[in-house]
Amino acid sequence: MRRFKDSIYKWIFTALAFASLIFLLGIVIVLFREALPALKTTGFLDLVFGKSWYPTYSPPEFGILPLILASLWVTAGAMAVCVPLGVGSALYLHELASNRQKAILKPAIELLASIPSIVFGFFGMVVVAPFLQETFNLPTGLTAFTASLILGIMAIPTIASIAEDALSYVPPSFKEASYALGANRWQTLTQVVIPAAGSGISTAIILGMSRAVGETMTVLMVAGGAAVIPHSFFEPVRPMTSTIAAEMGEAATGSPHYAALFAIGLILFLITLVFNIVAEIISKRYRMKLGLSR
Amino acid sequence: MNENIIASAAIFKKKNNARNKIVQNTGFAILLLCIIITILFLGSIIYFVGVNGIKIMSWEFLTAPPRKAMTAGGIGPAIVGTFYLTIGAILFSLPLGLSCAIYLSEYSPKSIAVNVIRLSINNLAGVPSVVFGLFGLFVFVDYFHFGVSILSGSLTLGILVLPGIISASQEALMAIPQSLREASLALGATQWQTIKRIVLPAALPGILTGVILSIGRAAGETAPILFTAATFYARGYPDSALSETMALPYHIYALMTEGTHPEKQTMIAYGSALTLLILVLLISALAIIIRQRQRNKMV
């Protein structure tokens, strides 16, 4: 009887363990199914490389290129902010912070990583955008630059804590060997520790990028929302995520607009999937290189 | 001749040392600058939201429903809505996530199935939150006819936090020494008895940390509830799992983008943002403290 009960539990756990696989497959199926009408009528290439997004005109035009470019611009801008600051902070924590500083700063950074994106978006809208508008004398403060800045600040804690983890995995013997050869701390840091932790740091950066591409509320609130191919960082843009969030409310279920929004969702999903798989591969190699099993 | 070379080498080395020293100091100064800028940026967000939000904060603001087309009154229903959504998400994702973690750490044979599950957890964790919203809209709102409701929103948020709960629980379970399990099995306990009475109690603090962090995440997410649960204005408190609801993060967004009295609405948005910020930071701090105590105990 006990053995029987035992095997029942085993089967229950096994079955429930597949839940995440089912949800992931479910997401893929739903996105494909609902995006299919748009892929069929507009065609995949015209959809992705179409230069105008006029979903409410008649006839409507569903070209996603301006939205994809906007996402890429904003993400690139965000990376320019968060990679130096995030990795720099991680290096400071690893190399220079005293134990007491570490004990305060590490949890603090983790805590800051939990600030909801809506709070960043709100801050960007009421404080940063008006400030930038005045300083640079712009027609509007809601621009690709503002979105990049806020997204970048938002991603710093994530990148800093993953990069710090990667640095801490570097065996102390690497450093000791370098010191023994007469290198100073800076030389050891830049020529031994950073290369050794390089793939871990790259994983942090890719995950940060993936988060920036997929981030919705912040860009919805501060990017300005003009669906045109971006020409300058100081103009409003409309990334993919904010298009879905802003327009899904008005698109009737099953309409071409609805299908086009799901198609954007599909492309977004595929982009982040690629980022995640790349991050996974790099981190696996890294762990093997340093002889860590898990 | 030889002495000359040695002497110039020594001078060269001295120069080099001095140069290296300058490079090192500059480098370290830049790193210090990085962390200072980071802290300034993030600190200023908390400062601005705190200083402005505190002006409107009162017991009435936290408990009363909004009045006069969102220009007066409080955010009570939004706080209650966020509470329901979060609890619903955890009720859905905890049993699923814990089962998955138990399977992966206790039963999993080294097989393709395990790798597939790991891979799907990692990828699910990277799916953008607005895509979860699309999934929830199609599956829960339309296909299952739950409509725009607390139920739909909770399920969507539940899937969003699932990978986090699985990873945290799995990590907690893996940290339990194998000898504990072996001792229990040697005494004649079945595997399930071992899990229930030995492994799970020992892993509880770690699992709890994961759950609390997920609560914080679910409470702050906006995009997944945008089309599945949230409404700008509800007359009162939600009365069933199938009614739509106000929610704190969505309320901030709506106040900033809808309505006709931007100045008054911005103040209420400051108050809502401060409430959400305090809520989420307290929840995360709790999780971090529990984990820290656990680590200290183990070391």
Side-chain angles (χ1 to χ4, degrees):
Chain A
M1 187 59 207
R2 270 171 59 199
R3 296 283 152 198
F4 177 67
K5 209 172 144 193
D6 219 45
S7 66
I8 285 183
Y9 276 112
K10 184 177 173 178
W11 281 112
I12 292 175
F13 289 134
T14 312
L16 292 180
F18 283 92
S20 7
L21 177 65
I22 290 168
F23 289 136
L24 193 68
L25 287 179
I27 289 173
V28 176
I29 292 168
V30 166
L31 289 177
F32 259 112
R33 221 193 87 127
E34 295 304 291
L36 205 59
L39 297 173
K40 261 188 192 156
T41 52
T42 316
F44 181 73
L45 289 180
D46 285 342
L47 197 70
V48 173
F49 294 107
K51 284 186 187 133
S52 30
W53 174 260
Y54 298 121
T56 50
Y57 282 26
S58 63
E61 283 188 71
F62 300 114
I64 303 180
L65 192 64
L67 317 178
I68 297 177
L69 288 178
S71 283
L72 295 181
W73 275 53
V74 169
T75 305
M79 286 297 115
V81 175
C82 69
V83 170
L85 290 177
V87 176
S89 301
L91 288 172
Y92 178 87
L93 278 179
H94 179 74
E95 184 66 33
L96 295 171
S98 64
N99 282 339
R100 243 183 85 196
Q101 281 181 339
K102 248 189 199 171
I104 297 169
L105 286 174
K106 272 184 81 171
I109 284 183
E110 204 175 343
L111 207 55
L112 294 170
S114 69
I115 297 178
S117 59
I118 187 80
V119 175
F120 283 94
F122 172 68
F123 175 74
M125 215 169 172
V126 295
V127 179
V128 179
F131 173 76
L132 289 176
Q133 186 179 3
E134 245 171 65
T135 321
F136 295 105
N137 203 7
L138 299 167
T140 168
L142 303 174
T143 63
F145 179 78
T146 323
S148 300
L149 186 66
I150 302 287
L151 267 188
I153 297 173
M154 202 177 128
I156 294 173
T158 314
I159 291 194
S161 59
I162 304 178
E164 212 274 333
D165 280 347
L167 289 168
S168 70
Y169 289 144
V170 176
S173 56
F174 281 33
K175 265 186 172 176
E176 287 153 11
S178 169
Y179 290 147
L181 289 171
N184 67 18
R185 284 172 74 190
W186 180 251
Q187 288 166 329
T188 304
L189 192 64
T190 51
Q191 287 163 38
V192 176
V193 177
I194 293 179
S199 27
I201 296 174
S202 337
T203 309
I205 293 171
I206 295 170
L207 288 178
M209 264 165 80
S210 170
R211 218 187 136 188
V213 173
E215 178 44 50
T216 312
M217 295 321 288
T218 322
V219 290
L220 179 59
M221 291 175 86
V222 301
V228 290
I229 290 184
H231 295 289
S232 138
F233 263 105
F234 292 97
E235 279 170 16
V237 294
R238 189 183 195 105
M240 292 187 276
T241 48
S242 54
T243 310
I244 300 175
E247 296 177 15
M248 194 41 108
E250 331 159 352
T253 310
S255 66
H257 189 187
Y258 177 89
L261 292 176
F262 269 89
I264 301 177
L266 180 63
I267 293 167
L268 193 60
F269 174 80
L270 293 176
I271 293 175
T272 50
L273 192 69
V274 170
F275 278 150
N276 292 326
I277 291 173
V278 172
E280 173 100 345
I281 292 170
I282 294 179
S283 87
K284 206 173 226 172
R285 285 216 182 129
Y286 169 65
R287 284 166 178 211
M288 275 161 73
K289 196 174 83 186
L290 287 184
L292 299 161
S293 57
R294 213 154 54 85
Chain B
M1 180 68 195
N2 258 350
E3 280 149 21
N4 265 346
I5 292 177
I6 291 169
S8 59
I11 292 167
F12 178 70
K13 205 180 162 206
K14 219 173 192 176
K15 262 192 184 162
N16 227 14
N17 267 348
R19 224 191 98 232
N20 286 341
K21 194 91 195 167
I22 292 170
V23 171
Q24 167 162 308
N25 288 340
T26 320
F28 284 168
I30 291 172
L31 295 187
L32 181 64
L33 199 64
C34 280
I35 194 133
I36 289 176
I37 293 175
T38 299
I39 291 170
L40 275 183
F41 268 154
L42 293 163
S44 68
I45 292 178
I46 297 178
Y47 173 79
F48 270 101
V49 172
V51 163
N52 290 297
I54 202 84
K55 288 182 199 154
I56 197 172
M57 205 52 82
S58 69
W59 181 246
E60 199 217 329
F61 179 73
L62 290 176
T63 52
R67 284 184 292 113
K68 294 186 192 159
M70 296 316 214
T71 57
I75 53 170
I79 297 178
V80 172
T82 288
F83 178 75
Y84 284 147
L85 284 169
T86 310
I87 296 298
I90 298 299
L91 283 181
F92 174 62
S93 59
L94 182 58
L96 269 183
L98 194 53
S99 305
C100 183
I102 289 176
Y103 173 77
L104 287 175
S105 95
E106 306 300 313
Y107 291 104
S108 76
K110 290 262 172 257
S111 68
I112 301 171
V114 172
N115 279 331
V116 169
I117 292 174
R118 287 229 169 97
L119 204 66
S120 50
I121 294 168
N122 285 346
N123 283 307
L124 197 63
V127 172
S129 54
V130 72
V131 171
F132 283 104
L134 288 178
F135 179 72
L137 171 67
F138 179 79
V139 175
F140 303 126
V141 177
D142 290 338
Y143 191 79
F144 286 135
H145 296 291
F146 294 154
V148 175
S149 63
I150 294 179
L151 183 60
S152 299
S154 294
L155 293 171
T156 311
L157 284 174
I159 300 175
L160 178 98
V161 297
L162 184 63
I165 292 203
I166 296 175
S167 312
S169 310
Q170 194 195 345
E171 207 171 293
L173 290 169
M174 300 273 231
I176 307 304
Q178 200 58 32
S179 54
L180 278 182
R181 297 187 182 92
E182 282 157 6
S184 166
L185 292 172
L187 289 171
T190 64
Q191 194 165 14
W192 167 240
Q193 286 169 330
T194 305
I195 293 170
K196 192 171 75 174
R197 305 216 183 123
I198 307 294
V199 180
L200 278 183
L204 197 63
I207 297 171
L208 203 61
T209 313
V211 170
I212 297 172
L213 284 175
S214 301
I215 290 177
R217 171 110 200 264
E221 278 289 347
T222 321
I225 59 171
L226 215 50
F227 345 111
T228 58
T231 177
F232 184 21
Y233 179 66
R235 244 165 223 299
Y237 293 86
D239 46 14
S240 87
L242 287 175
S243 56
E244 52 181 15
T245 179
M246 290 173 67
L248 214 39
Y250 179 73
H251 196 57
I252 300 169
Y253 169 65
L255 283 168
M256 295 308 293
T257 51
E258 285 171 42
T260 45
H261 298 277
E263 317 82 42
K264 286 179 187 165
Q265 289 178 194
T266 303
M267 275 326 288
I268 299 179
Y270 263 121
S272 312
L274 180 60
T275 312
L276 182 65
L277 196 60
I278 291 175
L279 213 65
V280 170
L281 288 181
L282 280 183
I283 290 171
S284 307
L286 183 65
I288 292 171
I289 290 169
I290 292 180
R291 193 182 50 201
Q292 209 56 44
R293 288 180 78 175
Q294 185 64 13
R295 273 193 196 148
N296 291 345
K297 220 194 272 173
M298 278 164 98
V299 167

